[in-house]
Amino acid sequence: MQRLLTMKRLSVLFVALFAVLMGGMFAWEALVVAPGDRCEADGGWWDRETSICARPISIAEVTGRPIGQSRAEASDAKNRELIAIEDRMAAAKAARDADAERQRIALAAQ
Protein backbone atom coordinates (compact mmCIF):
# COMPACT_ATOMS: atom_id res chain seq x y z
CA MET A 1 0.00 0.00 0.00
CA GLN A 2 1.36 3.42 -0.98
CA ARG A 3 1.15 6.28 1.46
CA LEU A 4 0.39 9.77 0.19
CA LEU A 5 2.57 11.66 2.66
CA THR A 6 5.86 9.89 2.97
CA MET A 7 8.75 11.36 4.89
CA LYS A 8 10.45 12.45 1.68
CA ARG A 9 7.32 14.23 0.41
CA LEU A 10 6.77 15.88 3.81
CA SER A 11 10.37 17.10 3.79
CA VAL A 12 10.02 18.57 0.30
CA LEU A 13 6.67 20.14 1.24
CA PHE A 14 8.16 21.67 4.39
CA VAL A 15 11.22 23.03 2.55
CA ALA A 16 9.03 24.46 -0.24
CA LEU A 17 6.65 26.07 2.25
CA PHE A 18 9.58 27.46 4.24
CA ALA A 19 11.14 28.89 1.05
CA VAL A 20 7.85 30.52 -0.01
CA LEU A 21 7.31 32.04 3.45
CA MET A 22 10.89 33.33 3.62
CA GLY A 23 10.56 34.82 0.12
CA GLY A 24 7.31 36.50 1.18
CA MET A 25 8.96 37.86 4.30
CA PHE A 26 11.89 39.30 2.34
CA ALA A 27 9.53 40.75 -0.27
CA TRP A 28 7.42 42.37 2.49
CA GLU A 29 10.56 43.84 4.02
CA ALA A 30 11.85 45.17 0.70
CA LEU A 31 8.54 46.53 -0.65
CA VAL A 32 6.69 47.72 2.47
CA VAL A 33 9.00 48.25 5.43
CA ALA A 34 12.26 49.42 3.81
CA PRO A 35 10.85 52.49 1.97
CA GLY A 36 9.43 53.80 5.25
CA ASP A 37 12.73 53.26 7.03
CA ARG A 38 14.65 55.04 4.23
CA CYS A 39 12.20 57.94 4.30
CA GLU A 40 12.48 58.38 8.06
CA ALA A 41 16.25 58.05 7.90
CA ASP A 42 16.32 60.94 5.37
CA GLY A 43 14.25 63.09 7.74
CA GLY A 44 10.87 62.66 6.07
CA TRP A 45 7.47 61.53 7.30
CA TRP A 46 6.26 58.19 5.99
CA ASP A 47 2.52 57.70 5.40
CA ARG A 48 1.79 53.97 5.38
CA GLU A 49 -1.69 54.31 3.88
CA THR A 50 -0.60 56.15 0.72
CA SER A 51 3.08 55.13 0.71
CA ILE A 52 4.16 58.76 0.39
CA CYS A 53 7.33 60.19 1.83
CA ALA A 54 6.49 63.76 2.86
CA ARG A 55 8.99 66.45 3.74
CA PRO A 56 8.34 68.66 6.76
CA ILE A 57 7.57 72.28 5.94
CA SER A 58 8.31 75.15 8.26
CA ILE A 59 5.23 76.92 9.59
CA ALA A 60 6.88 80.19 8.54
CA GLU A 61 6.70 79.03 4.90
CA VAL A 62 2.98 78.29 5.21
CA THR A 63 1.86 81.37 7.15
CA GLY A 64 4.39 83.83 5.74
CA ARG A 65 5.25 85.23 9.16
CA PRO A 66 8.77 85.18 10.61
CA ILE A 67 9.76 82.54 13.14
CA GLY A 68 9.19 83.82 16.67
CA GLN A 69 6.38 86.20 15.73
CA SER A 70 3.04 85.36 17.33
CA ARG A 71 -0.21 85.19 15.46
CA ALA A 72 -1.46 88.37 17.18
CA GLU A 73 1.70 90.29 16.27
CA ALA A 74 1.47 89.16 12.64
CA SER A 75 -2.21 90.11 12.53
CA ASP A 76 -1.45 93.58 13.96
CA ALA A 77 1.31 94.13 11.40
CA LYS A 78 -0.97 93.03 8.55
CA ASN A 79 -3.76 95.30 9.83
CA ARG A 80 -1.38 98.28 9.98
CA GLU A 81 -0.32 97.49 6.41
CA LEU A 82 -3.95 97.35 5.25
CA ILE A 83 -4.75 100.66 6.98
CA ALA A 84 -1.77 102.28 5.25
CA ILE A 85 -3.00 100.97 1.88
CA GLU A 86 -6.51 102.27 2.58
CA ASP A 87 -5.09 105.68 3.54
CA ARG A 88 -3.07 105.85 0.30
CA MET A 89 -6.15 104.89 -1.73
CA ALA A 90 -8.26 107.53 0.04
CA ALA A 91 -5.59 110.18 -0.60
CA ALA A 92 -5.41 109.21 -4.28
CA LYS A 93 -9.21 109.36 -4.56
CA ALA A 94 -9.26 112.79 -2.87
CA ALA A 95 -6.56 114.01 -5.29
CA ARG A 96 -8.57 112.69 -8.28
CA ASP A 97 -11.74 114.33 -6.99
CA ALA A 98 -9.93 117.65 -6.42
CA ASP A 99 -8.45 117.51 -9.93
CA ALA A 100 -11.86 116.71 -11.43
CA GLU A 101 -13.39 119.62 -9.52
CA ARG A 102 -10.61 121.95 -10.72
CA GLN A 103 -11.23 120.84 -14.31
CA ARG A 104 -15.00 121.38 -13.92
CA ILE A 105 -14.40 124.92 -12.64
CA ALA A 106 -11.97 125.62 -15.51
CA LEU A 107 -14.52 124.35 -18.07
CA ALA A 108 -17.33 126.38 -16.49
CA ALA A 109 -15.18 129.55 -16.62
CA GLN A 110 -14.63 129.25 -20.38
Side-chain angles (χ1 to χ4, degrees), residues 20-96:
V20 167
L21 289 177
M22 289 301 290
M25 185 185 73
F26 284 119
W28 176 266
E29 175 70 27
L31 299 174
V32 176
V33 178
D37 292 342
R38 281 193 306 269
C39 176
E40 290 174 0
D42 290 339
W45 295 330
W46 180 250
D47 183 18
R48 292 179 197 263
E49 293 177 6
T50 59
S51 297
I52 293 175
C53 183
R55 296 287 169 215
I57 300 173
S58 171
I59 191 70
E61 292 177 32
V62 176
T63 61
R65 65 177 189 242
I67 296 175
Q69 186 181 36
S70 70
R71 185 183 299 175
E73 292 169 345
S75 179
D76 289 341
K78 196 55 98 170
N79 287 338
R80 282 192 299 276
E81 181 182 332
L82 290 174
I83 289 171
I85 291 171
E86 289 174 353
D87 290 343
R88 284 194 307 267
M89 289 177 65
K93 184 178 184 311
R96 270 194 321 268

Side-chain angles (χ1 to χ4, degrees), residues 5-33:
L5 295 177
T6 62
M7 192 58 152
K8 185 176 181 180
R9 287 183 181 166
L10 279 175
S11 300
V12 169
L13 184 65
F14 175 76
V15 168
L17 181 65
F18 181 76
V20 167
L21 289 177
M22 289 301 290
M25 185 185 73
F26 284 119
W28 176 266
E29 175 70 27
L31 299 174
V32 176
V33 178

